[in-house]
Amino acid sequence: MQKQEILKKYFGYKDFRPGQELLIDSLLAGRDVLGIMPTGAGKSICYQVPALLLPGITVVVSPLISLMKDQVQALNQAGVHAAYINSSLTEGQIRKAMEYAATGRYKIIYVAPERLETWEFTCFARQARISMVAVDEAHCISQWGQDFRPSYLKIVSFVKKLAPRPVIGAFTATATSQVKDDIIAVLGLGNPQLLISGFDRRNLFFGVETPKSKLSYVQQYIESHPGDSGIIYCATRKNVEKVHEALLARGIAAARYHAGLTAQERSENQEDFIYDRKPVIVATNAFGMGIDKSNVRYVLHFNMPQSMENYYQEAGRAGRDGAASECIMLYSGQDVMVNQYLLDNKAPNEELGPEENALVRERDSQRLQSMVGYARSTNCLRKYILEYFGEYGLQRCENCSVCRGEYEEQDCTEQARQVVTCILELRQRYGVNVVAGTLHGDKRSKLLALGADRCSTYGVLQALSEDRIKRIIRELEEREYLESTPDKYAVLKVCARAQDLLEGSDSLILRFAREEEGAAARTRKARKSDVLNSRGLELFDVLKKLRMELAREGGVPPYMVFSDKTLTDMCIRLPFDKGEMLQVAGVGEKKYERYGQPFLEAVREFTRGRKEKTSFGEQGMDRFC
């Protein structure tokens, strides 16, 4: 069987995506590879297809139990026999899995890196024919990456025990130049075929919002996207609980996930989300790695992440099926302070020496500043992301909040001077609330008792809201014109460089969301509603309900039956027989055997056996993807 036949039969696609064929051919020729490909680019196909063509077994090293379970379940749904070996199995189940693999029943085995050095697995690997070792999330092996895992170093010693040496494929979604070089060196990749397929995810809309109330924004956003599946990331457990409670109070079916919950709670909540019983999940960054849910339509960041690597990895969990999706970060100056506090209190890595830990802290601080730059950028957000990872694209992507003109710049230099003057008039004794209240001209008894009304700056910014004044103060802090004392009652102090503002050599240009539109109401509808007309959308809902019924009967997540992208293509093509159904993107022979007939009947019944127009133009799917 040829690689194209494997692709169609088991995965339902006629053509490979850019870069996939190069890596597949290299692995089949016995050449090591390193694939740096964005989430949703099809990394798993790059080792799953050759695994089915190579004579022996492929061992896939994967960091999380949830990732292994998800991948193996998807493979089995597609008709590929695969298994995983991890701590969730009994010793008897592990022995049985290795026995089946040794006899050729399983072509692919997923394992955690810790498993590689156990006596039982080492014995199995030496006796079995291991043709390939695929390393997923390969950036974990680099101590200079944002997610270094010492357990990944076990891969190197494991491969050295195998004779003959298997071909090695390493894959990751995000890697800087230094991390890339580290992966090649540590894994001992010999003259590897390198593919950096590009970090651009064109189906994703990127946005940064600065709403007055983040909580209200999230509530309104979710209510304006009914039925869509989404993730809301929060920096702390406390925020997860706050957001989760607020959503439940509005009647929104939402799950939660953080390290403070029991393992059982986390597992149950994750399954509720994956199986679409609760389409929304509120979580810390402990959630998500290895979650292969293809129909996540949006990822909201309630707080700014600590690094662009983390942000792009988390945001990239949206739109894995290639359909239009949204990644929106809610930003405030407080986010910077919280993240800096978390970095300052981060425990040192015991695997590294003092000098290396100091270097890691310095790089963490640089990563945080890059995120601040992204949040405040007045240029194309996609361009900012791509340049961070060493790519250069168009000046304008026309698919981010900056390019779409949803923000406006304002010169706040004069207001900034008034802020500095007010702090000096108050003798640098008070915090942000007193300063903002004085500038706004509040008549609170506390301010009057302090004599704030006798300052020349009292009420000079009464035309601005206190929230806007506080935003300006936070920006002045971030740009080191001001600083706050570290005690409980933080007092604002004027820094030396504030003199440049007062003298006119510096200016302060800030970006604000357009006031005339509610931020959460500014939603992009570049999704299936742009492709399907009213009849097509009706059919999509019919097929979506059928998908849910079949998923429940089979005990699998709905997206493993068919993705949203496949259902949309089905609505466009209106297949009436097997041949037409196999032309639908994502429908392979094995999937057809399992699910094809019920969907054919549903399409025939809806259309009464007549072809009709269900989409806008012939290029509907191109716009959708």
Side-chain angles (χ1 to χ4, degrees):
M1 189 177 293
Q2 300 298 312
K3 60 189 176 187
Q4 283 84 2
E5 294 176 282
I6 293 285
L7 183 69
K8 182 57 185 172
K9 179 177 181 179
Y10 294 106
F11 303 103
Y13 298 105
K14 292 185 293 183
D15 301 305
F16 289 102
R17 294 182 186 178
Q20 288 181 327
E21 214 167 353
L22 174 65
L23 297 184
I24 290 169
D25 288 343
S26 297
L27 289 169
L28 290 174
R31 183 179 179 184
D32 293 345
V33 307
L34 171 56
I36 303 174
M37 308 162 74
T39 303
K43 291 186 293 294
S44 56
I45 289 288
C46 295
Y47 59 80
Q48 288 170 350
V49 168
L52 297 177
L53 292 170
L54 289 169
I57 300 165
T58 289
V59 173
V60 182
V61 182
S62 182
L64 293 176
I65 290 175
S66 59
L67 172 59
M68 299 181 206
K69 183 179 178 182
D70 210 40
Q71 292 271 15
V72 168
Q73 195 171 23
L75 283 169
N76 285 319
Q77 281 289 302
V80 176
H81 295 298
Y84 57 83
I85 296 175
N86 57 46
S87 58
S88 70
L89 303 180
T90 66
E91 289 302 316
Q93 290 173 320
I94 291 172
R95 282 194 295 273
K96 183 63 70 174
M98 289 190 290
E99 178 185 324
Y100 283 163
T103 58
R105 181 164 177 174
Y106 294 140
K107 289 287 288 179
I108 305 175
I109 295 184
Y110 285 76
V111 299
E114 294 83 359
R115 177 70 51 180
L116 298 177
E117 289 200 326
T118 62
W119 178 83
E120 193 169 21
F121 192 81
T122 299
C123 290
F124 155 75
R126 282 174 168 167
Q127 294 171 8
R129 185 176 183 181
I130 308 295
S131 295
M132 175 168 59
V133 174
V135 183
D136 207 0
E137 308 292 351
H139 64 274
C140 293
I141 205 168
S142 172
Q143 64 179 348
W144 306 124
Q146 86 282 4
D147 197 21
F148 172 55
R149 301 193 180 199
S151 60
Y152 259 59
L153 298 175
K154 300 180 187 298
I155 300 171
V156 181
S157 55
F158 170 73
V159 171
K160 288 179 178 178
K161 296 174 184 176
L162 302 179
R165 177 190 182 275
V167 66
I168 300 177
F171 303 90
T172 183
T174 55
T176 61
S177 177
Q178 187 171 23
V179 171
K180 176 200 72 177
D181 293 341
D182 214 23
I183 292 171
I184 294 172
V186 175
L187 279 177
L189 303 183
N191 185 31
Q193 174 63 63
L194 176 64
L195 174 74
I196 303 177
S197 67
F199 292 93
D200 193 5
R201 299 276 306 283
R202 295 186 181 183
N203 64 309
L204 299 185
F205 172 93
F206 290 100
V208 177
E209 300 279 1
T210 55
K212 293 179 181 178
S213 169
K214 291 186 177 184
L215 207 53
S216 296
Y217 179 96
V218 170
Q219 290 170 326
Q220 292 171 25
Y221 184 96
I222 295 173
E223 288 171 350
S224 68
H225 293 72
D228 282 353
S229 182
I231 304 172
I232 297 98
Y233 278 110
C234 300
T236 63
R237 301 178 193 179
K238 181 180 178 181
N239 278 346
V240 169
E241 294 292 343
K242 180 176 73 173
V243 175
H244 182 247
E245 288 174 11
L247 296 184
L248 294 183
R250 294 283 280 262
I252 296 170
R256 58 181 176 154
Y257 191 103
H258 60 71
L261 304 176
T262 65
Q264 183 177 350
E265 284 179 296
R266 291 197 300 273
S267 177
E268 290 173 353
N269 293 347
Q270 179 171 297
E271 289 208 353
D272 282 344
F273 175 66
I274 289 174
Y275 284 79
D276 282 343
R277 294 189 286 266
K278 294 180 179 177
V280 179
I281 192 164
V282 189
T284 60
N285 61 8
F287 174 81
M289 183 180 282
I291 299 301
D292 200 24
K293 194 173 195 289
S294 66
N295 65 333
V296 175
R297 294 277 73 86
Y298 59 84
V299 172
L300 306 182
H301 276 83
F302 194 78
N303 306 106
M304 182 185 72
Q306 292 179 356
S307 71
M308 184 58 70
E309 288 92 340
N310 286 346
Y311 176 68
Y312 203 50
Q313 187 177 63
E314 291 159 11
R317 285 160 193 152
R320 293 176 70 103
D321 56 4
S325 304
E326 296 174 359
C327 310
I328 299 174
M329 187 174 78
L330 308 184
Y331 171 72
S332 71
Q334 187 69 18
D335 290 337
V336 184
M337 299 170 67
V338 170
N339 276 316
Q340 191 60 59
Y341 173 83
L342 293 173
L343 289 180
D344 290 343
N345 291 273
K346 182 179 178 181
N349 190 326
E350 295 180 358
E351 301 287 330
L352 305 178
E355 291 184 5
E356 290 175 322
N357 269 306
L359 185 56
V360 168
R361 283 195 296 272
E362 182 182 340
R363 287 178 177 167
D364 285 344
S365 182
Q366 292 171 352
R367 288 185 177 113
L368 177 58
Q369 289 309 307
S370 293
M371 275 309 306
V372 174
Y374 174 81
R376 297 198 312 226
S377 177
T378 56
N379 297 315
C380 174
L381 297 180
R382 177 173 269 99
K383 181 175 182 288
Y384 189 102
I385 293 171
L386 295 179
E387 287 185 353
Y388 180 87
F389 289 110
E391 290 188 19
Y392 298 91
L394 299 174
Q395 291 297 317
R396 295 177 60 85
C397 71
E398 305 302 339
N399 195 29
C400 75
S401 55
V402 174
C403 290
R404 294 202 179 181
E406 293 173 2
Y407 292 89
E408 55 188 1
E409 291 183 9
Q410 293 183 13
D411 187 338
C412 296
T413 307
E414 183 54 37
Q415 293 94 322
R417 289 180 187 137
Q418 297 291 359
V419 169
V420 174
T421 301
C422 180
I423 295 170
L424 292 172
E425 285 187 317
L426 291 169
R427 300 182 184 180
Q428 304 185 73
R429 292 179 176 177
Y430 304 104
V432 64
N433 290 328
V434 169
V435 173
T438 300
L439 290 161
H440 190 253
D442 282 2
K443 300 186 183 300
R444 298 196 299 266
S445 57
K446 178 182 178 181
L447 289 178
L448 298 177
L450 294 172
D453 57 330
R454 294 193 294 274
C455 294
S456 67
T457 51
Y458 181 75
V460 296
L461 299 183
Q462 60 183 334
L464 303 181
S465 68
E466 282 198 53
D467 283 339
R468 178 61 62 90
I469 296 170
K470 289 178 181 179
R471 165 79 190 279
I472 294 171
I473 293 172
R474 296 300 184 201
E475 290 290 341
L476 289 172
E477 284 189 85
E478 289 171 23
R479 303 189 191 195
E480 298 181 350
Y481 294 108
L482 304 176
E483 63 181 4
S484 292
T485 58
D487 47 42
K488 181 178 180 182
Y489 301 102
V491 174
L492 288 170
K493 301 288 186 180
V494 176
C495 299
R497 66 174 304 206
Q499 192 65 32
D500 295 334
L501 269 178
L502 296 176
E503 294 175 352
S505 57
D506 274 7
S507 61
L508 184 70
I509 308 297
L510 298 184
R511 188 185 57 154
F512 298 100
R514 295 186 185 278
E515 296 286 351
E516 66 271 14
E517 299 180 82
R522 294 196 305 270
T523 56
R524 276 59 55 183
K525 296 297 182 182
R527 44 188 66 182
K528 63 180 179 293
S529 57
D530 269 1
V531 179
L532 303 177
N533 62 23
S534 57
R535 282 289 286 170
L537 290 172
E538 285 181 46
L539 177 56
F540 184 89
D541 288 338
V542 169
L543 298 183
K544 189 175 179 181
K545 289 176 183 175
L546 173 60
R547 179 178 68 179
M548 179 64 80
E549 292 170 8
L550 294 173
R552 285 174 177 165
E553 289 175 10
V556 297
Y559 69 87
M560 283 191 184
V561 175
F562 287 127
S563 70
D564 283 3
K565 181 178 177 181
T566 296
L567 293 190
T568 301
D569 199 24
M570 213 176 285
C571 292
I572 294 171
R573 294 179 184 275
L574 300 179
F576 288 167
D577 57 38
K578 178 179 179 180
E580 291 180 341
M581 181 63 86
L582 287 174
Q583 295 302 308
V584 173
V587 180
E589 292 179 16
K590 295 297 181 179
K591 280 286 186 77
Y592 177 81
E593 290 174 13
R594 197 183 296 262
Y595 302 117
Q597 198 60 37
F599 282 91
L600 280 176
E601 292 172 4
V603 172
R604 289 196 204 104
E605 182 178 347
F606 181 85
T607 61
R608 297 181 180 177
R610 295 193 299 270
K611 298 287 186 180
E612 56 181 288
K613 189 170 180 59
T614 55
S615 63
F616 298 112
E618 295 180 1
Q619 301 304 316
M621 276 305 291
D622 291 339
R623 293 173 63 198
F624 183 66
C625 300

